[in-house]
Amino acid sequence: DQHPQVIPLKENVPLLFVDDSGVEVRHTLFRTIHPARRLDAPVLTADQPWEVLRVYLATVVYDSEAQKFCMGYLARLPPNNATQLLYAKSTDGLIWDKPLLGQFSVQGSTENNVLNFVGDGGGEASVIVDSFEKDPAKKYKLFIHNRNGYCLGYSADGIHWHEYPGNPIFKHGDTCKLTQNQQTGEYLAYYKRPATVRGHHRRVVWLSRSIDFRNWTEPELVFAPDEVDDEWVMKADERTEIYLMSVFGHAAGYVALPAMFFHMPQAL
């Protein structure tokens, strides 16, 4: 008989009971799943003249010292629709202010909330507030994809950013998410990179690790579609892919939210 694997817990770190892997015996106890609720109206819209067509979320963090939420979001800027990272702030996570930062020129004016970091263009960005960092100038850390590849930055306030030397650190590109081990401070960079899975070239999620935010491990494939994800497939060129995956440290582990991408042939 195989004994169940013991999940080690550190002092004062709870276990997140998402399944029964940490439960030895259960009696008259039931798990209830509560569906997420959505507000009636969006909290952020493209309401500024430099936000062309739409805005979409990249990252939100809470700065406990400043007692504010900081949002990085993406928009296409005129006149050529290049994607750029923009900044918003909030005290409650519901009402967001777009301060005029004076950093990036859009059609001859810097009266906007566009962040100036490593040129323009890109597909994704992710920020953390680093509670382990001793240098206040590097309190905020950024993992971003732009036209150069995957790049890193640091900031004291989440607004004025500086580029780390050695960018880009990874090739390929598009979506990326940064998180941190809340017990050790290790940095975890999750990002899209293609791989062949069961005979198909697919979007999948890779992971690189770092203890100093400068030197990173060789990437390893950590999340890809399995056979169940492909059960809907009816044609040879159909398949499931992973477009991005947000990962959050919580309790004694991590929670991941993968975005599934269903590749289908174009209708004739």
Side-chain angles (χ1 to χ4, degrees):
D1 293 343
Q2 290 186 340
H3 295 285
Q5 182 179 0
V6 176
I7 300 177
L9 294 178
K10 294 187 177 182
E11 185 178 0
N12 299 323
V13 177
L15 174 67
L16 181 63
F17 290 99
V18 294
D19 54 28
D20 290 341
S21 61
V23 179
E24 183 176 21
V25 177
R26 186 174 69 178
H27 180 66
T28 65
L29 184 67
F30 303 93
R31 177 179 290 105
T32 301
I33 304 298
H34 299 280
R37 294 178 294 174
R38 187 177 65 181
L39 298 176
D40 295 333
V43 298
L44 196 81
T45 59
D47 56 6
Q48 301 299 321
W50 56 85
E51 298 168 340
V52 177
L53 300 177
R54 67 182 185 270
V55 295
Y56 45 107
L57 179 64
T59 186
V60 174
V61 295
Y62 182 69
D63 187 332
S64 58
E65 293 182 358
Q67 294 187 333
K68 67 176 180 179
F69 292 94
C70 300
M71 176 191 292
Y73 68 97
L74 300 165
R76 296 184 183 273
L77 307 184
N80 58 1
N81 289 347
T83 302
Q84 183 61 288
L85 184 65
L86 295 81
Y87 174 86
K89 63 179 180 178
S90 173
T91 57
D92 59 7
L94 297 174
I95 300 174
W96 291 88
D97 176 49
K98 301 174 180 178
L100 303 180
L101 304 178
Q103 293 188 14
F104 192 88
S105 179
V106 181
Q107 294 186 309
S109 174
T110 59
E111 293 295 299
N112 56 61
N113 63 326
V114 183
L115 294 168
N116 187 18
F117 180 81
V118 200
D120 58 30
E124 186 64 272
S126 186
V127 175
I128 61 169
V129 179
D130 188 356
S131 60
F132 290 84
E133 179 59 67
K134 295 180 173 58
D135 183 353
K138 299 179 179 179
K139 176 181 177 180
Y140 286 78
K141 289 184 171 61
L142 171 68
F143 182 34
I144 187 172
H145 165 249
N146 61 25
R147 291 175 180 174
N148 299 320
Y150 288 116
C151 299
L152 302 176
Y154 63 91
S155 171
D157 55 10
I159 300 174
H160 301 89
W161 289 95
H162 305 277
E163 181 180 0
Y164 274 96
N167 282 334
I169 57 168
F170 308 124
K171 297 297 183 182
H172 303 285
D174 202 359
T175 64
C176 56
K177 295 298 177 184
L178 177 67
T179 192
Q180 190 172 29
N181 186 313
Q182 294 304 304
Q183 280 73 55
T184 67
E186 182 183 34
Y187 305 103
L188 308 172
Y190 296 89
Y191 55 99
K192 182 195 298 181
R193 175 175 167 176
T196 300
V197 178
R198 293 192 306 282
H200 287 292
H201 195 63
R202 310 185 192 225
R203 300 172 175 90
V204 291
V205 179
W206 294 70
L207 167 66
S208 290
R209 303 169 179 266
S210 176
I211 59 173
D212 58 7
F213 211 66
R214 296 284 299 277
N215 300 287
W216 295 82
T217 62
E218 285 296 316
E220 56 182 314
L221 176 61
V222 293
F223 198 83
D226 59 18
E227 289 84 354
V228 175
D229 295 320
D230 278 342
E231 285 184 345
W232 63 274
V233 170
M234 300 293 291
K235 300 178 180 180
D237 53 356
E238 294 178 335
R239 58 188 179 273
T240 301
E241 302 180 353
I242 313 300
Y243 199 79
L244 61 83
M245 188 170 73
S246 297
V247 180
F248 308 90
H250 186 78
Y254 297 88
V255 176
L257 301 175
M260 312 303 285
F261 183 95
F262 300 102
H263 184 276
M264 304 176 184
Q266 293 183 354
L268 298 177

